Amino acid sequence: MIGMFDRENRGTVSFQDFGALWKYVTDWQSCFRSFDRDNSGNIDKQELKTALTSFGYRLSDHLVEVLLRKFDRFGRGTILFDDFIQCCIVLYTLTTAFRQHDTDMDGVITIHYEQFLSMVFSLKI
């Protein structure tokens, strides 16, 4: 996340940048708590699906399970706060990159393998 707020690309954040980062994290904390229905301190599969649906994503149960496995640091079937942020940022970033190629907004793109690799590796995640 520091990279997102490092406006001068130095690997650090200024005091002003830190203020923006702090607000960003506290906003995410409120969001996380609103979906952590059982107040367990983590997000389970159903809570994750509810969160992503409310963000406008229509993902299959299988893909939600894939995301859960990918961002479940301890293999408990749940995602912690920082992993939830990372999951949402990665999903948003990949979706934005996909939409640049989905000009008719039908959810389908046709690109060559090297275009795909270029697209993915050029992302700041």
Side-chain angles (χ1 to χ4, degrees):
M1 276 193 284
I2 288 177
M4 293 170 56
F5 290 88
D6 178 11
R7 301 195 200 297
E8 298 172 13
N9 293 320
R10 296 181 311 177
T12 62
V13 291
S14 69
F15 183 76
Q16 183 179 13
D17 294 339
F18 180 77
L21 174 59
W22 183 261
K23 181 179 178 346
Y24 184 77
V25 170
T26 57
D27 289 347
W28 271 110
Q29 187 177 38
S30 296
C31 176
F32 179 85
R33 285 183 177 154
S34 73
F35 294 110
D36 180 15
R37 296 286 185 201
D38 60 359
N39 295 316
S40 62
N42 52 55
I43 298 285
D44 64 22
K45 178 186 168 190
Q46 188 55 49
E47 292 166 332
L48 179 61
K49 183 168 180 112
T50 299
L52 297 177
T53 300
S54 76
F55 299 156
Y57 296 103
R58 293 179 310 218
L59 305 176
S60 67
D61 286 341
H62 173 73
L63 190 55
V64 173
E65 289 172 14
V66 167
L67 291 170
L68 189 66
R69 281 193 308 271
K70 172 73 177 169
F71 294 96
D72 176 9
R73 186 181 326 182
F74 297 110
R76 297 180 185 155
T78 60
I79 298 177
L80 300 172
F81 171 62
D82 52 337
D83 299 321
F84 175 72
I85 295 172
Q86 185 178 11
C87 175
C88 293
I89 290 171
V90 167
L91 186 58
Y92 174 80
T93 303
L94 290 171
T95 300
T96 300
F98 181 91
R99 284 184 177 160
Q100 290 177 349
H101 296 278
D102 186 14
T103 55
D104 58 358
M105 300 301 286
D106 67 351
V108 176
I109 62 173
T110 302
I111 59 176
H112 296 283
Y113 180 63
E114 285 196 15
Q115 287 175 292
F116 168 75
L117 290 177
S118 179
M119 178 180 73
V120 171
F121 288 129
S122 66
L123 299 174
K124 265 188 127 174
I125 300 179

